[in-house]
mmCIF file of all heavy atoms in Angstrom:
data_model
loop_
_atom_site.group_PDB
_atom_site.id
_atom_site.type_symbol
_atom_site.label_atom_id
_atom_site.label_comp_id
_atom_site.label_asym_id
_atom_site.label_seq_id
_atom_site.Cartn_x
_atom_site.Cartn_y
_atom_site.Cartn_z
ATOM 1 N N PHE O 211 172.827 -58.164 -94.385
ATOM 2 C CA PHE O 211 174.058 -57.479 -94.015
ATOM 3 C C PHE O 211 173.780 -56.604 -92.788
ATOM 4 O O PHE O 211 172.659 -56.101 -92.623
ATOM 5 C CB PHE O 211 174.537 -56.566 -95.152
ATOM 6 C CG PHE O 211 175.176 -57.286 -96.301
ATOM 7 C CD1 PHE O 211 174.544 -57.347 -97.528
ATOM 8 C CD2 PHE O 211 176.420 -57.870 -96.169
ATOM 9 C CE1 PHE O 211 175.132 -57.986 -98.600
ATOM 10 C CE2 PHE O 211 177.016 -58.520 -97.232
ATOM 11 C CZ PHE O 211 176.378 -58.577 -98.446
ATOM 12 N N PRO O 212 174.788 -56.334 -91.949
ATOM 13 C CA PRO O 212 174.582 -55.417 -90.820
ATOM 14 C C PRO O 212 174.470 -53.961 -91.277
ATOM 15 O O PRO O 212 173.922 -53.118 -90.573
ATOM 16 C CB PRO O 212 175.825 -55.626 -89.959
ATOM 17 C CG PRO O 212 176.846 -56.183 -90.888
ATOM 18 C CD PRO O 212 176.095 -56.942 -91.940
ATOM 19 N N ALA O 213 174.991 -53.659 -92.451
ATOM 20 C CA ALA O 213 174.908 -52.341 -93.087
ATOM 21 C C ALA O 213 174.968 -52.598 -94.589
ATOM 22 O O ALA O 213 175.187 -53.724 -95.022
ATOM 23 C CB ALA O 213 176.070 -51.452 -92.651
ATOM 24 N N ASN O 214 174.790 -51.546 -95.416
ATOM 25 C CA ASN O 214 174.853 -51.786 -96.856
ATOM 26 C C ASN O 214 176.265 -52.219 -97.238
ATOM 27 O O ASN O 214 177.238 -51.825 -96.590
ATOM 28 C CB ASN O 214 174.369 -50.577 -97.652
ATOM 29 C CG ASN O 214 175.256 -49.368 -97.483
ATOM 30 O OD1 ASN O 214 176.433 -49.421 -97.800
ATOM 31 N ND2 ASN O 214 174.704 -48.293 -96.978
ATOM 32 N N PRO O 215 176.408 -53.066 -98.245
ATOM 33 C CA PRO O 215 177.717 -53.611 -98.606
ATOM 34 C C PRO O 215 178.770 -52.543 -98.902
ATOM 35 O O PRO O 215 179.943 -52.729 -98.597
ATOM 36 C CB PRO O 215 177.443 -54.450 -99.857
ATOM 37 C CG PRO O 215 175.995 -54.749 -99.803
ATOM 38 C CD PRO O 215 175.351 -53.608 -99.089
ATOM 39 N N GLY O 216 178.362 -51.432 -99.486
ATOM 40 C CA GLY O 216 179.311 -50.372 -99.807
ATOM 41 C C GLY O 216 179.908 -49.707 -98.584
ATOM 42 O O GLY O 216 180.967 -49.092 -98.655
ATOM 43 N N GLY O 217 179.258 -49.835 -97.436
ATOM 44 C CA GLY O 217 179.736 -49.213 -96.215
ATOM 45 C C GLY O 217 180.474 -50.154 -95.279
ATOM 46 O O GLY O 217 180.924 -49.738 -94.212
ATOM 47 N N LEU O 218 180.601 -51.421 -95.643
ATOM 48 C CA LEU O 218 181.276 -52.396 -94.793
ATOM 49 C C LEU O 218 182.770 -52.448 -95.104
ATOM 50 O O LEU O 218 183.204 -52.151 -96.209
ATOM 51 C CB LEU O 218 180.666 -53.786 -95.000
ATOM 52 C CG LEU O 218 179.211 -53.939 -94.570
ATOM 53 C CD1 LEU O 218 178.681 -55.304 -95.000
ATOM 54 C CD2 LEU O 218 179.074 -53.764 -93.072
ATOM 55 N N LYS O 219 183.558 -52.873 -94.107
ATOM 56 C CA LYS O 219 185.000 -53.031 -94.293
ATOM 57 C C LYS O 219 185.283 -54.328 -95.038
ATOM 58 O O LYS O 219 184.567 -55.317 -94.875
ATOM 59 C CB LYS O 219 185.712 -53.051 -92.942
ATOM 60 C CG LYS O 219 185.681 -51.719 -92.242
ATOM 61 C CD LYS O 219 186.471 -51.778 -90.961
ATOM 62 C CE LYS O 219 186.412 -50.419 -90.273
ATOM 63 N NZ LYS O 219 187.264 -50.381 -89.093
ATOM 64 N N ASP O 220 186.339 -54.325 -95.838
ATOM 65 C CA ASP O 220 186.747 -55.520 -96.586
ATOM 66 C C ASP O 220 187.315 -56.569 -95.632
ATOM 67 O O ASP O 220 187.890 -56.221 -94.617
ATOM 68 C CB ASP O 220 187.798 -55.148 -97.629
ATOM 69 C CG ASP O 220 187.204 -54.373 -98.787
ATOM 70 O OD1 ASP O 220 185.996 -54.543 -99.056
ATOM 71 O OD2 ASP O 220 187.938 -53.606 -99.431
ATOM 72 N N PRO O 221 187.175 -57.831 -95.963
ATOM 73 C CA PRO O 221 186.456 -58.368 -97.116
ATOM 74 C C PRO O 221 184.956 -58.468 -96.834
ATOM 75 O O PRO O 221 184.545 -58.849 -95.740
ATOM 76 C CB PRO O 221 187.066 -59.751 -97.303
ATOM 77 C CG PRO O 221 187.475 -60.165 -95.921
ATOM 78 C CD PRO O 221 187.850 -58.894 -95.205
ATOM 79 N N VAL O 222 184.157 -58.115 -97.818
ATOM 80 C CA VAL O 222 182.702 -58.232 -97.734
ATOM 81 C C VAL O 222 182.307 -59.467 -98.531
ATOM 82 O O VAL O 222 182.635 -59.565 -99.719
ATOM 83 C CB VAL O 222 182.001 -56.979 -98.301
ATOM 84 C CG1 VAL O 222 180.492 -57.152 -98.254
ATOM 85 C CG2 VAL O 222 182.436 -55.734 -97.560
ATOM 86 N N THR O 223 181.652 -60.399 -97.876
ATOM 87 C CA THR O 223 181.248 -61.628 -98.563
ATOM 88 C C THR O 223 179.753 -61.848 -98.393
ATOM 89 O O THR O 223 179.138 -61.388 -97.437
ATOM 90 C CB THR O 223 181.993 -62.861 -98.010
ATOM 91 O OG1 THR O 223 181.705 -63.014 -96.634
ATOM 92 C CG2 THR O 223 183.484 -62.740 -98.228
ATOM 93 N N LEU O 224 179.193 -62.565 -99.361
ATOM 94 C CA LEU O 224 177.787 -62.925 -99.345
ATOM 95 C C LEU O 224 177.688 -64.390 -99.744
ATOM 96 O O LEU O 224 178.243 -64.793 -100.771
ATOM 97 C CB LEU O 224 176.998 -62.050 -100.330
ATOM 98 C CG LEU O 224 175.516 -62.345 -100.479
ATOM 99 C CD1 LEU O 224 174.778 -62.059 -99.167
ATOM 100 C CD2 LEU O 224 174.909 -61.516 -101.593
ATOM 101 N N VAL O 233 182.438 -62.454 -103.160
ATOM 102 C CA VAL O 233 183.288 -61.453 -102.515
ATOM 103 C C VAL O 233 183.136 -60.123 -103.255
ATOM 104 O O VAL O 233 183.179 -60.086 -104.493
ATOM 105 C CB VAL O 233 184.770 -61.900 -102.523
ATOM 106 C CG1 VAL O 233 185.663 -60.844 -101.889
ATOM 107 C CG2 VAL O 233 184.926 -63.239 -101.810
ATOM 108 N N LEU O 234 182.976 -59.048 -102.486
ATOM 109 C CA LEU O 234 182.859 -57.721 -103.090
ATOM 110 C C LEU O 234 184.125 -57.400 -103.872
ATOM 111 O O LEU O 234 185.225 -57.423 -103.329
ATOM 112 C CB LEU O 234 182.619 -56.667 -102.007
ATOM 113 C CG LEU O 234 182.444 -55.227 -102.487
ATOM 114 C CD1 LEU O 234 181.255 -55.090 -103.421
ATOM 115 C CD2 LEU O 234 182.285 -54.291 -101.297
ATOM 116 N N HIS O 235 183.961 -57.136 -105.154
ATOM 117 C CA HIS O 235 185.079 -56.883 -106.053
ATOM 118 C C HIS O 235 185.234 -55.391 -106.358
ATOM 119 O O HIS O 235 186.339 -54.877 -106.416
ATOM 120 C CB HIS O 235 184.856 -57.672 -107.345
ATOM 121 C CG HIS O 235 185.882 -57.439 -108.394
ATOM 122 N ND1 HIS O 235 187.167 -57.928 -108.293
ATOM 123 C CD2 HIS O 235 185.821 -56.771 -109.566
ATOM 124 C CE1 HIS O 235 187.849 -57.558 -109.361
ATOM 125 N NE2 HIS O 235 187.050 -56.859 -110.147
ATOM 126 N N ARG O 236 184.109 -54.717 -106.559
ATOM 127 C CA ARG O 236 184.144 -53.298 -106.942
ATOM 128 C C ARG O 236 182.931 -52.584 -106.358
ATOM 129 O O ARG O 236 181.805 -52.998 -106.555
ATOM 130 C CB ARG O 236 184.139 -53.206 -108.469
ATOM 131 C CG ARG O 236 184.444 -51.876 -109.009
ATOM 132 C CD ARG O 236 184.682 -51.856 -110.509
ATOM 133 N NE ARG O 236 184.068 -52.945 -111.253
ATOM 134 C CZ ARG O 236 183.960 -52.964 -112.560
ATOM 135 N NH1 ARG O 236 184.412 -51.974 -113.279
ATOM 136 N NH2 ARG O 236 183.404 -53.968 -113.182
ATOM 137 N N ARG O 237 183.187 -51.484 -105.645
ATOM 138 C CA ARG O 237 182.117 -50.676 -105.060
ATOM 139 C C ARG O 237 181.712 -49.573 -106.026
ATOM 140 O O ARG O 237 182.509 -49.130 -106.844
ATOM 141 C CB ARG O 237 182.583 -50.010 -103.762
ATOM 142 C CG ARG O 237 182.956 -50.966 -102.677
ATOM 143 C CD ARG O 237 183.561 -50.208 -101.496
ATOM 144 N NE ARG O 237 184.334 -51.090 -100.653
ATOM 145 C CZ ARG O 237 183.863 -51.720 -99.598
ATOM 146 N NH1 ARG O 237 182.609 -51.565 -99.242
ATOM 147 N NH2 ARG O 237 184.628 -52.509 -98.884
ATOM 148 N N ARG O 238 180.470 -49.106 -105.880
ATOM 149 C CA ARG O 238 179.972 -47.962 -106.646
ATOM 150 C C ARG O 238 180.295 -48.091 -108.139
ATOM 151 O O ARG O 238 181.006 -47.289 -108.713
ATOM 152 C CB ARG O 238 180.523 -46.664 -106.072
ATOM 153 C CG ARG O 238 180.137 -46.451 -104.622
ATOM 154 C CD ARG O 238 180.697 -45.169 -104.050
ATOM 155 N NE ARG O 238 180.295 -44.008 -104.811
ATOM 156 C CZ ARG O 238 179.194 -43.280 -104.593
ATOM 157 N NH1 ARG O 238 178.389 -43.611 -103.628
ATOM 158 N NH2 ARG O 238 178.917 -42.242 -105.331
ATOM 159 N N VAL O 239 179.723 -49.099 -108.744
ATOM 160 C CA VAL O 239 179.954 -49.402 -110.157
ATOM 161 C C VAL O 239 179.379 -48.289 -111.028
ATOM 162 O O VAL O 239 178.300 -47.754 -110.750
ATOM 163 C CB VAL O 239 179.312 -50.769 -110.511
ATOM 164 C CG1 VAL O 239 179.464 -51.081 -111.974
ATOM 165 C CG2 VAL O 239 179.920 -51.866 -109.664
ATOM 166 N N GLY O 258 169.023 -55.301 -103.071
ATOM 167 C CA GLY O 258 169.213 -55.065 -101.645
ATOM 168 C C GLY O 258 168.181 -54.087 -101.119
ATOM 169 O O GLY O 258 168.361 -52.872 -101.232
ATOM 170 N N ASP O 259 167.100 -54.598 -100.560
ATOM 171 C CA ASP O 259 166.055 -53.751 -99.974
ATOM 172 C C ASP O 259 166.539 -53.125 -98.667
ATOM 173 O O ASP O 259 167.570 -53.506 -98.128
ATOM 174 C CB ASP O 259 164.798 -54.585 -99.679
ATOM 175 C CG ASP O 259 164.005 -54.913 -100.922
ATOM 176 O OD1 ASP O 259 163.915 -54.063 -101.820
ATOM 177 O OD2 ASP O 259 163.475 -56.037 -101.007
ATOM 178 N N MET O 260 165.766 -52.187 -98.162
ATOM 179 C CA MET O 260 166.016 -51.553 -96.871
ATOM 180 C C MET O 260 167.402 -50.909 -96.795
ATOM 181 O O MET O 260 168.146 -51.106 -95.851
ATOM 182 C CB MET O 260 165.822 -52.558 -95.736
ATOM 183 C CG MET O 260 164.412 -53.110 -95.671
ATOM 184 S SD MET O 260 164.159 -54.417 -94.452
ATOM 185 C CE MET O 260 164.797 -53.670 -92.978
ATOM 186 N N GLY O 261 167.763 -50.167 -97.841
ATOM 187 C CA GLY O 261 169.063 -49.501 -97.852
ATOM 188 C C GLY O 261 170.201 -50.419 -98.222
ATOM 189 O O GLY O 261 171.360 -50.085 -98.027
ATOM 190 N N GLY O 262 169.894 -51.573 -98.754
ATOM 191 C CA GLY O 262 170.917 -52.492 -99.218
ATOM 192 C C GLY O 262 171.230 -53.627 -98.273
ATOM 193 O O GLY O 262 172.079 -54.453 -98.569
ATOM 194 N N ILE O 263 170.555 -53.718 -97.131
ATOM 195 C CA ILE O 263 170.931 -54.743 -96.154
ATOM 196 C C ILE O 263 170.186 -56.062 -96.306
ATOM 197 O O ILE O 263 170.584 -57.071 -95.750
ATOM 198 C CB ILE O 263 170.765 -54.231 -94.711
ATOM 199 C CG1 ILE O 263 169.316 -53.955 -94.368
ATOM 200 C CG2 ILE O 263 171.640 -53.021 -94.465
ATOM 201 C CD1 ILE O 263 169.062 -53.712 -92.889
ATOM 202 N N CYS O 264 169.102 -56.071 -97.047
ATOM 203 C CA CYS O 264 168.254 -57.257 -97.152
ATOM 204 C C CYS O 264 168.262 -57.781 -98.597
ATOM 205 O O CYS O 264 167.451 -57.352 -99.423
ATOM 206 C CB CYS O 264 166.843 -56.902 -96.697
ATOM 207 S SG CYS O 264 165.780 -58.314 -96.486
ATOM 208 N N TYR O 284 170.092 -43.193 -110.413
ATOM 209 C CA TYR O 284 171.317 -43.855 -109.982
ATOM 210 C C TYR O 284 172.214 -42.861 -109.264
ATOM 211 O O TYR O 284 172.508 -41.780 -109.765
ATOM 212 C CB TYR O 284 172.034 -44.494 -111.173
ATOM 213 C CG TYR O 284 173.164 -45.385 -110.736
ATOM 214 C CD1 TYR O 284 172.901 -46.568 -110.063
ATOM 215 C CD2 TYR O 284 174.485 -45.042 -110.969
ATOM 216 C CE1 TYR O 284 173.926 -47.400 -109.640
ATOM 217 C CE2 TYR O 284 175.512 -45.862 -110.546
ATOM 218 C CZ TYR O 284 175.231 -47.040 -109.880
ATOM 219 O OH TYR O 284 176.253 -47.856 -109.451
ATOM 220 N N LEU O 285 172.666 -43.235 -108.090
ATOM 221 C CA LEU O 285 173.457 -42.369 -107.235
ATOM 222 C C LEU O 285 174.953 -42.468 -107.512
ATOM 223 O O LEU O 285 175.707 -41.559 -107.192
ATOM 224 C CB LEU O 285 173.165 -42.734 -105.766
ATOM 225 C CG LEU O 285 173.803 -41.922 -104.668
ATOM 226 C CD1 LEU O 285 173.409 -40.452 -104.784
ATOM 227 C CD2 LEU O 285 173.377 -42.458 -103.308
ATOM 228 N N GLY O 286 175.402 -43.553 -108.121
ATOM 229 C CA GLY O 286 176.827 -43.782 -108.330
ATOM 230 C C GLY O 286 177.383 -43.052 -109.532
ATOM 231 O O GLY O 286 176.702 -42.227 -110.156
ATOM 232 N N PRO O 287 178.647 -43.346 -109.874
ATOM 233 C CA PRO O 287 179.304 -42.716 -111.020
ATOM 234 C C PRO O 287 178.507 -42.900 -112.308
ATOM 235 O O PRO O 287 178.006 -43.975 -112.592
ATOM 236 C CB PRO O 287 180.641 -43.450 -111.111
ATOM 237 C CG PRO O 287 180.846 -44.059 -109.768
ATOM 238 C CD PRO O 287 179.493 -44.320 -109.207
ATOM 239 N N TYR O 296 169.443 -45.448 -105.908
ATOM 240 C CA TYR O 296 170.054 -46.736 -106.233
ATOM 241 C C TYR O 296 171.573 -46.621 -106.336
ATOM 242 O O TYR O 296 172.109 -45.622 -106.819
ATOM 243 C CB TYR O 296 169.496 -47.271 -107.559
ATOM 244 C CG TYR O 296 168.004 -47.345 -107.567
ATOM 245 C CD1 TYR O 296 167.246 -46.511 -108.366
ATOM 246 C CD2 TYR O 296 167.329 -48.247 -106.749
ATOM 247 C CE1 TYR O 296 165.862 -46.566 -108.367
ATOM 248 C CE2 TYR O 296 165.947 -48.310 -106.743
ATOM 249 C CZ TYR O 296 165.221 -47.469 -107.551
ATOM 250 O OH TYR O 296 163.846 -47.523 -107.552
ATOM 251 N N LEU O 297 172.246 -47.671 -105.901
ATOM 252 C CA LEU O 297 173.697 -47.760 -105.975
ATOM 253 C C LEU O 297 174.035 -49.226 -106.192
ATOM 254 O O LEU O 297 173.364 -50.099 -105.635
ATOM 255 C CB LEU O 297 174.319 -47.253 -104.674
ATOM 256 C CG LEU O 297 175.814 -47.081 -104.634
ATOM 257 C CD1 LEU O 297 176.278 -46.075 -105.701
ATOM 258 C CD2 LEU O 297 176.255 -46.595 -103.264
ATOM 259 N N ALA O 298 175.068 -49.519 -106.990
ATOM 260 C CA ALA O 298 175.370 -50.910 -107.306
ATOM 261 C C ALA O 298 176.840 -51.237 -107.050
ATOM 262 O O ALA O 298 177.714 -50.387 -107.167
ATOM 263 C CB ALA O 298 175.031 -51.203 -108.771
ATOM 264 N N HIS O 299 177.068 -52.510 -106.713
ATOM 265 C CA HIS O 299 178.398 -53.040 -106.448
ATOM 266 C C HIS O 299 178.538 -54.360 -107.199
ATOM 267 O O HIS O 299 177.549 -55.063 -107.415
ATOM 268 C CB HIS O 299 178.612 -53.292 -104.956
ATOM 269 C CG HIS O 299 178.201 -52.140 -104.097
ATOM 270 N ND1 HIS O 299 178.900 -50.959 -104.058
ATOM 271 C CD2 HIS O 299 177.147 -51.982 -103.258
ATOM 272 C CE1 HIS O 299 178.303 -50.124 -103.218
ATOM 273 N NE2 HIS O 299 177.232 -50.725 -102.734
ATOM 274 N N GLU O 300 179.774 -54.684 -107.554
ATOM 275 C CA GLU O 300 180.029 -55.949 -108.242
ATOM 276 C C GLU O 300 180.708 -56.919 -107.287
ATOM 277 O O GLU O 300 181.700 -56.591 -106.654
ATOM 278 C CB GLU O 300 180.928 -55.731 -109.455
ATOM 279 C CG GLU O 300 181.231 -56.998 -110.204
ATOM 280 C CD GLU O 300 182.237 -56.803 -111.325
ATOM 281 O OE1 GLU O 300 182.525 -55.651 -111.700
ATOM 282 O OE2 GLU O 300 182.752 -57.820 -111.814
ATOM 283 N N PHE O 301 180.140 -58.123 -107.201
ATOM 284 C CA PHE O 301 180.731 -59.219 -106.433
ATOM 285 C C PHE O 301 181.212 -60.267 -107.426
ATOM 286 O O PHE O 301 180.704 -60.363 -108.531
ATOM 287 C CB PHE O 301 179.682 -59.862 -105.522
ATOM 288 C CG PHE O 301 179.339 -59.080 -104.283
ATOM 289 C CD1 PHE O 301 178.597 -57.916 -104.351
ATOM 290 C CD2 PHE O 301 179.751 -59.536 -103.036
ATOM 291 C CE1 PHE O 301 178.252 -57.210 -103.200
ATOM 292 C CE2 PHE O 301 179.418 -58.838 -101.885
ATOM 293 C CZ PHE O 301 178.673 -57.674 -101.966
ATOM 294 N N MET O 309 178.317 -61.015 -109.989
ATOM 295 C CA MET O 309 177.016 -60.747 -109.397
ATOM 296 C C MET O 309 176.906 -59.233 -109.231
ATOM 297 O O MET O 309 177.832 -58.586 -108.746
ATOM 298 C CB MET O 309 176.873 -61.411 -108.031
ATOM 299 C CG MET O 309 175.560 -61.078 -107.353
ATOM 300 S SD MET O 309 175.363 -61.893 -105.760
ATOM 301 C CE MET O 309 176.533 -60.989 -104.779
ATOM 302 N N LEU O 310 175.790 -58.677 -109.648
ATOM 303 C CA LEU O 310 175.513 -57.258 -109.477
ATOM 304 C C LEU O 310 174.585 -57.103 -108.283
ATOM 305 O O LEU O 310 173.526 -57.720 -108.227
ATOM 306 C CB LEU O 310 174.849 -56.696 -110.731
ATOM 307 C CG LEU O 310 174.550 -55.198 -110.712
ATOM 308 C CD1 LEU O 310 175.849 -54.395 -110.691
ATOM 309 C CD2 LEU O 310 173.699 -54.808 -111.898
ATOM 310 N N TYR O 311 175.008 -56.307 -107.313
ATOM 311 C CA TYR O 311 174.233 -56.079 -106.094
ATOM 312 C C TYR O 311 173.732 -54.645 -106.129
ATOM 313 O O TYR O 311 174.518 -53.707 -106.118
ATOM 314 C CB TYR O 311 175.103 -56.302 -104.860
ATOM 315 C CG TYR O 311 174.317 -56.373 -103.576
ATOM 316 C CD1 TYR O 311 174.001 -57.598 -103.017
ATOM 317 C CD2 TYR O 311 173.883 -55.219 -102.931
ATOM 318 C CE1 TYR O 311 173.269 -57.674 -101.846
ATOM 319 C CE2 TYR O 311 173.150 -55.281 -101.759
ATOM 320 C CZ TYR O 311 172.852 -56.512 -101.215
ATOM 321 O OH TYR O 311 172.131 -56.594 -100.061
ATOM 322 N N ILE O 312 172.416 -54.475 -106.205
ATOM 323 C CA ILE O 312 171.819 -53.137 -106.304
ATOM 324 C C ILE O 312 171.171 -52.778 -104.975
ATOM 325 O O ILE O 312 170.264 -53.466 -104.511
ATOM 326 C CB ILE O 312 170.778 -53.082 -107.439
ATOM 327 C CG1 ILE O 312 171.429 -53.475 -108.758
ATOM 328 C CG2 ILE O 312 170.158 -51.688 -107.522
ATOM 329 C CD1 ILE O 312 170.455 -53.704 -109.890
ATOM 330 N N GLU O 313 171.660 -51.690 -104.376
ATOM 331 C CA GLU O 313 171.091 -51.180 -103.128
ATOM 332 C C GLU O 313 169.936 -50.249 -103.454
ATOM 333 O O GLU O 313 170.053 -49.381 -104.301
ATOM 334 C CB GLU O 313 172.123 -50.383 -102.339
ATOM 335 C CG GLU O 313 173.313 -51.157 -101.901
ATOM 336 C CD GLU O 313 174.315 -50.274 -101.172
ATOM 337 O OE1 GLU O 313 174.061 -49.062 -100.953
ATOM 338 O OE2 GLU O 313 175.383 -50.796 -100.823
ATOM 339 N N ASP O 314 168.832 -50.429 -102.742
ATOM 340 C CA ASP O 314 167.682 -49.540 -102.878
ATOM 341 C C ASP O 314 167.570 -48.727 -101.599
ATOM 342 O O ASP O 314 167.225 -49.242 -100.544
ATOM 343 C CB ASP O 314 166.412 -50.348 -103.106
ATOM 344 C CG ASP O 314 165.172 -49.477 -103.307
ATOM 345 O OD1 ASP O 314 165.275 -48.244 -103.258
ATOM 346 O OD2 ASP O 314 164.084 -50.065 -103.507
ATOM 347 N N HIS O 315 167.886 -47.445 -101.701
ATOM 348 C CA HIS O 315 167.803 -46.521 -100.557
ATOM 349 C C HIS O 315 166.508 -45.728 -100.693
ATOM 350 O O HIS O 315 166.517 -44.577 -101.116
ATOM 351 C CB HIS O 315 169.016 -45.588 -100.538
ATOM 352 C CG HIS O 315 170.295 -46.314 -100.343
ATOM 353 N ND1 HIS O 315 170.807 -46.578 -99.105
ATOM 354 C CD2 HIS O 315 171.160 -46.855 -101.246
ATOM 355 C CE1 HIS O 315 171.941 -47.234 -99.247
ATOM 356 N NE2 HIS O 315 172.173 -47.425 -100.521
#
Side-chain angles (χ1 to χ4, degrees):
F211 284 111
N214 65 60
L218 295 173
K219 291 184 180 185
D220 288 334
V222 178
T223 60
L224 177 65
V233 178
L234 181 60
H235 176 72
R236 192 170 24 167
R237 298 173 200 267
R238 300 179 57 90
V239 177
D259 284 323
M260 299 174 52
I263 65 169
C264 191
Y284 190 68
L285 184 59
Y296 306 111
L297 189 60
H299 312 289
E300 180 186 347
F301 284 72
M309 176 178 72
L310 182 66
Y311 192 99
I312 302 169
E313 298 178 3
D314 182 359
H315 297 271

